[in-house]
Amino acid sequence: MNLKKEVIALAKNAQLAFRANLGLTADLKNRALKDMGRSLLAKKETILKANRKDILAASASGASPAFIDRLSLDDKRIKEMADSILEVARLPDPLGRTIKSWRNSSGLKINKVRVPIGVIAIIYESRPNVTAECAALCFKSGNSVILRGGSEAMKSNTAIYRILKGVLNKRAIDAALINMVATTDRAAVEILLKLNDYIDLVIPRGGESLIRKVVHSSLIPVIKHYKGICHVYVDDWADLNMAQKICFNAKVQRPGVCNAMESMLVHKDAAARFLPGMAKMFREAGVRMRGCPMTRRIIKGVSLASDRDYRTEYLDLIVSIKVVNSLKEAISHINEYGSHHSDTIVTDNKKHGYEFLKYVDSACVYVNASTRFTDGYQFGLGAEIGISTDKLHARGPMALEELTTYKYEIIGSGQVRK
Amino acid sequence: MNLKKEVIALAKNAQLAFRANLGLTADLKNRALKDMGRSLLAKKETILKANRKDILAASASGASPAFIDRLSLDDKRIKEMADSILEVARLPDPLGRTIKSWRNSSGLKINKVRVPIGVIAIIYESRPNVTAECAALCFKSGNSVILRGGSEAMKSNTAIYRILKGVLNKRAIDAALINMVATTDRAAVEILLKLNDYIDLVIPRGGESLIRKVVHSSLIPVIKHYKGICHVYVDDWADLNMAQKICFNAKVQRPGVCNAMESMLVHKDAAARFLPGMAKMFREAGVRMRGCPMTRRIIKGVSLASDRDYRTEYLDLIVSIKVVNSLKEAISHINEYGSHHSDTIVTDNKKHGYEFLKYVDSACVYVNASTRFTDGYQFGLGAEIGISTDKLHARGPMALEELTTYKYEIIGSGQVRK
């Protein structure tokens, strides 16, 4: 019961802080952000000390090397964390802009203006850098944030969190704009997810199972950054040299991220000319291939792809390959097996490109470019909180603007409804 | 188990239809909508016959007169239904517009374009007109719709639905764009709300308890049109004559709707001058008043307002009144007790107006106008599916544009990520 009361009090407080600070200037926020970046660097020993405790405990409890790696901080990672906050400080302020403005038939002036959302809860895994980055993005966009990271990183997160709060206090900014549920009790998350009267949005940052758990429990709207099962479709009208470069880049340049290609589709009339050279490049880069029967007739030594392969996000040097009979089949396959994240057609046929753009139901649809460009920085939007695979509110790279909403401000001179 | 299979098949089919019809032209959609309007009129006897059966059954089971009224159709209501579809046909098409377009540093052309959302489920009470209106709005905006109305209106809804489908068939448009779960089995809704792989959005249309039930069960994003606890705040700088007209209009012109005023706040320095005249107008119009102790000192015979009163949407000729000490107290009260729908300040002080607009956390915030203007038509947006009290995706009047989302279409010339 005490935990419940505490979590409710924290959320209520975050909401009051949000409302009281709607007038915070961009300038003051940016100064605070710069201080936060500098302060993280100045106090890195405190962070590293806390982090060593987390690492020791995680090692003792048998965590995997990959887990420990994600949990671990060092000078370089703290520098990156600080840099990313300084970068957020330099981004243009997303608030206050008038999106639309018009006068209605009664003479009312209607302004649709960009405002912060309110209270945003971030539920994340044991990656301490998320603490700093999400706090910075939410603060810059005028929201109150409630952070809840993985319990294995609690000491590191708390150290970072205290440094950020310290800056707010020093700048006489309401410290309740940045909050942390600093208990390892997992019940706290369940409580948090029911507080739809105080929290406006939940963003889970982590693997699919974390996201699904949040969706199942939450009464608050959730924006989901699910996996990326991204495709490149090599059309019969493709420049095959370009197609090879794009497929290679999309698969190999950084295989562990959500915008990497997981599945390659090739038109039947291009397959015999395209696949052997592509397979050679893939093999030289250590990419394992799983293909449909037709693929296996063209490239020897490829294992058979199952239906499940086409639904798998490998995040690894593995690719599933399928030869398709038509552009239409490629589009159907992508809509059915993909994750509506990022998909590319390589073609010199404008009509085919147009059709692909129109009928592929994904956040980012490309003609003749690598799927790897789906990223806030690459788009020129700045730092992002993730790539939304949702269709509502935010789709694709979710940057500062997507952390805002709008309201209508209406100015009259005594108008009443007839 | 059969029901589950049926509902899943229906939802899957709706999704396939959505994807296959992304190329449907505005012209063809508008022709079909006009046919739907005309067809409803031409076949009104069929609708009225089905409606009579629904009414008889509802009466026999002891439904209230208000319930029967909402369920009942007649010539006039069918005409209104048809007119509203014809109106939707005349509205500009919300699709295909480029929201933003730029070239990134790699030379990629990035277009952010407006596209339909996908499959939208509408869960509503026993009001047959919702069937036609929601189907028309979703169809016009390029979405597939799954309709699920109250079981007491099933025969009327089915009759309307068949007429709409008939038009699609006649125009050779995929009839799976408009769907109905035509069973009175309430389990169907529970099944529907779990199908987040096929359905992109749920919009419950009805009272608060219906909406809460949907939110609790749904794994699909829900846009909520909760109640309207709307305020008018009469500032110490108000033109009291204007304030009277606005408060009277907001309360009396149509008390049963969500944008009517439920609570009136008056600055302490205006109370003695304002309240007696206002009370007289209210009494003559049959408005019952509930007030704070200060209100009751100024106007005699007013009953005491409880904390609960200030949280109540009366939808009736009742108003709660509170005298406040400051603009700040008015804003806090509105943010705490209101429903973030529509709130007005009456003031001649520009700074007060600005502060109210900035700090009241509602979808529509007014200076010197009646809250009754919160409406798609009044805003000039055309027909609406409701007034969203949510902050994500759609806030305030939810018209055709809010039934769409965006995607990024990106055109390259072989770009790969470095």
Side-chain angles (χ1 to χ4, degrees):
Chain A
M1 267 320 275
N2 262 351
L3 178 66
K4 192 170 175 183
K5 270 190 197 161
E6 265 174 53
V7 175
I8 291 176
L10 181 145
K12 209 167 172 171
N13 215 24
Q15 187 179 59
L16 287 174
F18 158 67
R19 288 177 184 159
N21 291 285
L22 281 161
L24 213 59
T25 65
D27 186 56
L28 185 54
K29 287 186 296 182
N30 291 338
R31 281 167 200 265
L33 285 164
K34 280 178 205 155
D35 287 355
M36 288 178 195
R38 288 188 207 111
S39 202
L40 287 176
L41 285 179
K43 296 181 180 166
K44 72 177 172 192
E45 285 312 325
T46 316
I47 302 172
L48 289 172
K49 203 175 143 192
N51 189 241
R52 277 191 293 271
K53 287 185 194 161
D54 280 337
I55 294 169
L56 270 173
S59 303
S61 74
S64 72
F67 187 94
I68 300 285
D69 177 59
R70 286 194 294 272
L71 173 61
S72 297
L73 294 174
D74 55 22
D75 282 14
K76 185 166 165 273
R77 285 188 178 175
I78 291 179
K79 174 81 168 51
E80 282 168 3
M81 210 156 67
D83 285 348
S84 85
I85 295 192
L86 295 175
E87 165 73 28
V88 170
R90 280 189 297 268
L91 289 173
D93 196 79
L95 299 175
R97 197 164 61 78
T98 299
I99 302 165
K100 254 188 211 175
S101 181
W102 71 98
R103 207 171 273 280
N104 82 344
S105 58
S106 319
L108 293 175
K109 179 76 188 282
I110 303 177
N111 296 317
K112 186 179 183 178
V113 300
R114 202 159 277 296
V115 296
I117 292 171
V119 180
I120 301 179
I122 313 276
I123 315 284
Y124 54 107
E125 292 170 343
S126 293
R127 303 182 81 139
N129 62 315
V130 174
T131 306
E133 285 164 19
C134 287
L137 285 167
C138 290
F139 176 72
K140 169 95 178 191
S141 51
N143 299 289
S144 279
V145 68
I146 300 175
L147 301 158
R148 196 356 169 130
S151 49
E152 299 84 355
M154 194 57 77
K155 290 191 171 65
S156 317
N157 290 341
T158 307
I160 295 167
Y161 166 68
R162 285 204 185 125
I163 293 168
L164 305 182
K165 292 282 254 197
V167 169
L168 295 183
N169 284 324
K170 217 166 174 182
R171 287 254 172 218
I173 297 171
D174 193 336
L177 287 171
I178 302 182
N179 306 278
M180 178 173 280
V181 178
T183 163
T184 55
D185 190 339
R186 281 168 206 275
V189 175
E190 287 300 313
I191 297 167
L192 210 58
L193 294 177
K194 307 298 181 203
L195 301 182
N196 49 342
D197 283 340
Y198 306 119
I199 303 173
D200 297 292
L201 170 62
V202 177
I203 305 177
R205 279 205 34 176
E208 198 174 345
S209 75
L210 172 80
I211 303 174
R212 293 213 183 271
K213 247 190 267 172
V214 168
V215 168
H216 273 261
S217 293
S218 185
L219 296 182
I220 306 163
V222 182
I223 290 184
K224 297 165 295 278
H225 307 96
Y226 273 132
K227 60 189 172 188
I229 300 178
C230 303
H231 299 78
V232 178
Y233 164 60
V234 180
D235 192 37
D236 49 338
W237 288 72
D239 169 338
L240 296 184
N241 185 33
M242 182 195 286
Q244 275 185 356
K245 281 183 192 149
I246 287 175
C247 291
F248 188 81
N249 183 262
K251 180 70 258 177
V252 176
Q253 196 248 356
R254 199 173 167 200
V257 291
C258 65
N259 60 14
M261 173 179 79
E262 302 294 2
S263 215
M264 188 174 78
L265 307 177
V266 185
H267 190 280
K268 66 175 184 347
D269 296 344
R273 287 175 291 136
F274 174 72
L275 282 174
M278 189 73 245
K280 189 164 173 281
M281 284 175 78
F282 276 155
R283 281 203 172 113
E284 283 167 11
V287 177
R288 279 165 291 159
M289 291 170 277
R290 302 185 187 169
C292 65
M294 181 61 96
T295 305
R296 299 173 78 216
R297 240 174 283 163
I298 299 169
I299 342 171
K300 297 297 160 201
V302 167
S303 64
L304 185 66
S306 66
D307 194 77
R308 206 198 160 119
D309 274 300
Y310 294 117
R311 299 185 191 277
T312 299
E313 185 189 34
Y314 299 116
L315 297 174
D316 200 353
L317 288 175
I318 308 174
V319 64
S320 63
I321 307 173
K322 191 181 161 83
V323 175
V324 296
N325 291 307
S326 62
L327 169 61
K328 211 173 160 185
E329 190 188 336
I331 293 170
S332 292
H333 179 95
I334 292 169
N335 283 338
E336 165 75 20
Y337 288 84
S339 64
H340 315 289
H341 188 296
S342 300
D343 301 287
T344 289
I345 183 175
V346 186
T347 189
D348 282 342
N349 182 314
K350 279 209 169 164
K351 208 171 146 284
H352 288 193
Y354 174 81
E355 223 164 287
F356 192 85
L357 290 174
K358 182 112 192 160
Y359 287 97
V360 170
D361 185 21
S362 296
C364 301
V365 191
Y366 293 84
V367 178
N368 295 336
S370 170
T371 53
R372 289 276 296 114
F373 284 103
T374 299
D375 172 287
Y377 281 107
Q378 295 295 327
F379 271 37
L381 307 172
E384 70 188 20
I385 207 148
I387 309 287
S388 164
T389 51
D390 263 335
K391 289 178 161 185
L392 295 184
H393 189 79
R395 196 177 192 192
M398 188 173 180
L400 281 175
E401 187 169 298
E402 287 73 28
L403 289 170
T404 66
T405 180
Y406 59 86
K407 82 204 261 191
Y408 292 101
E409 297 183 349
I410 304 130
I411 322 280
S413 49
Q415 281 86 345
V416 296
R417 181 100 176 255
K418 274 167 206 140
Chain B
M1 267 320 274
N2 262 349
L3 179 66
K4 193 170 176 184
K5 272 190 195 159
E6 264 173 54
V7 174
I8 292 175
L10 181 144
K12 209 168 174 171
N13 214 24
Q15 187 180 60
L16 288 174
F18 158 67
R19 289 178 182 157
N21 290 284
L22 282 161
L24 212 61
T25 66
D27 186 57
L28 184 53
K29 287 187 294 183
N30 291 338
R31 280 167 201 265
L33 285 165
K34 280 179 203 154
D35 288 355
M36 287 176 195
R38 288 189 207 109
S39 202
L40 286 176
L41 286 180
K43 294 178 181 170
K44 71 176 174 192
E45 285 312 325
T46 315
I47 301 173
L48 290 172
K49 203 175 143 190
N51 189 242
R52 276 192 293 272
K53 286 183 194 161
D54 280 337
I55 294 169
L56 270 173
S59 303
S61 73
S64 72
F67 186 93
I68 299 286
D69 177 58
R70 286 194 295 272
L71 173 61
S72 297
L73 294 174
D74 55 22
D75 281 14
K76 184 168 164 272
R77 286 187 176 175
I78 292 180
K79 174 78 165 50
E80 281 167 4
M81 209 155 70
D83 283 348
S84 85
I85 296 192
L86 295 174
E87 166 72 28
V88 171
R90 281 190 296 268
L91 289 172
D93 197 79
L95 299 174
R97 195 165 62 78
T98 300
I99 301 165
K100 255 189 213 173
S101 181
W102 70 97
R103 206 172 275 279
N104 82 345
S105 58
S106 320
L108 293 175
K109 180 75 188 278
I110 303 178
N111 296 316
K112 185 178 184 178
V113 299
R114 203 158 273 298
V115 295
I117 292 172
V119 180
I120 301 178
I122 314 275
I123 315 284
Y124 54 108
E125 292 172 341
S126 292
R127 302 182 81 141
N129 61 314
V130 174
T131 306
E133 284 164 21
C134 287
L137 285 166
C138 291
F139 177 72
K140 170 96 180 192
S141 50
N143 298 290
S144 278
V145 67
I146 300 176
L147 301 157
R148 201 348 173 132
S151 50
E152 300 84 354
M154 195 56 78
K155 288 192 172 64
S156 317
N157 290 341
T158 307
I160 294 166
Y161 166 68
R162 285 203 184 125
I163 293 169
L164 305 182
K165 292 282 252 198
V167 168
L168 295 184
N169 284 325
K170 217 166 173 180
R171 286 255 172 217
I173 298 171
D174 194 335
L177 288 171
I178 302 182
N179 307 278
M180 177 173 281
V181 178
T183 161
T184 54
D185 191 339
R186 281 170 206 275
V189 175
E190 287 301 312
I191 297 167
L192 210 56
L193 294 176
K194 306 299 180 203
L195 301 182
N196 48 343
D197 283 340
Y198 306 120
I199 302 174
D200 297 292
L201 169 63
V202 177
I203 305 176
R205 280 205 34 175
E208 198 175 345
S209 76
L210 171 79
I211 302 175
R212 293 213 183 270
K213 246 189 269 175
V214 168
V215 168
H216 272 262
S217 294
S218 185
L219 297 182
I220 307 163
V222 182
I223 290 185
K224 295 160 302 275
H225 306 95
Y226 273 131
K227 59 190 173 187
I229 300 179
C230 302
H231 298 79
V232 177
Y233 164 60
V234 180
D235 191 35
D236 49 339
W237 287 72
D239 169 339
L240 297 183
N241 185 34
M242 183 195 284
Q244 277 187 356
K245 280 183 193 151
I246 288 174
C247 290
F248 189 81
N249 183 262
K251 181 68 257 178
V252 176
Q253 196 248 355
R254 200 173 165 200
V257 291
C258 65
N259 60 14
M261 173 179 78
E262 302 294 4
S263 214
M264 188 173 80
L265 307 178
V266 185
H267 190 280
K268 67 177 185 346
D269 295 344
R273 287 175 291 136
F274 174 72
L275 281 174
M278 189 73 245
K280 190 163 173 282
M281 282 175 79
F282 276 156
R283 282 202 171 112
E284 283 168 9
V287 177
R288 279 166 292 159
M289 290 170 277
R290 302 183 187 170
C292 65
M294 182 59 99
T295 305
R296 297 173 80 217
R297 242 176 279 163
I298 299 170
I299 342 170
K300 297 297 160 200
V302 167
S303 63
L304 184 67
S306 66
D307 194 76
R308 203 195 163 123
D309 273 300
Y310 293 117
R311 298 185 192 275
T312 298
E313 185 189 34
Y314 299 116
L315 296 175
D316 200 353
L317 288 175
I318 308 174
V319 65
S320 63
I321 306 175
K322 191 179 163 82
V323 175
V324 296
N325 291 308
S326 63
L327 169 60
K328 210 172 161 189
E329 188 188 337
I331 292 170
S332 293
H333 179 95
I334 291 169
N335 283 339
E336 166 75 22
Y337 289 84
S339 64
H340 314 289
H341 188 296
S342 300
D343 301 288
T344 289
I345 184 175
V346 186
T347 190
D348 281 341
N349 182 314
K350 278 209 170 163
K351 207 171 146 286
H352 289 194
Y354 173 81
E355 222 164 288
F356 192 85
L357 290 173
K358 182 111 190 160
Y359 288 96
V360 170
D361 186 21
S362 296
C364 301
V365 191
Y366 293 83
V367 177
N368 295 335
S370 171
T371 53
R372 289 277 295 113
F373 284 103
T374 299
D375 172 286
Y377 282 108
Q378 295 295 325
F379 271 36
L381 308 172
E384 72 190 17
I385 209 149
I387 309 287
S388 164
T389 51
D390 264 334
K391 287 176 163 187
L392 295 183
H393 189 79
R395 196 178 191 190
M398 188 174 181
L400 281 175
E401 188 169 296
E402 288 73 29
L403 289 171
T404 66
T405 180
Y406 58 87
K407 81 203 262 191
Y408 292 101
E409 297 183 349
I410 303 130
I411 321 282
S413 49
Q415 281 88 344
V416 295
R417 183 96 176 257
K418 274 169 206 140

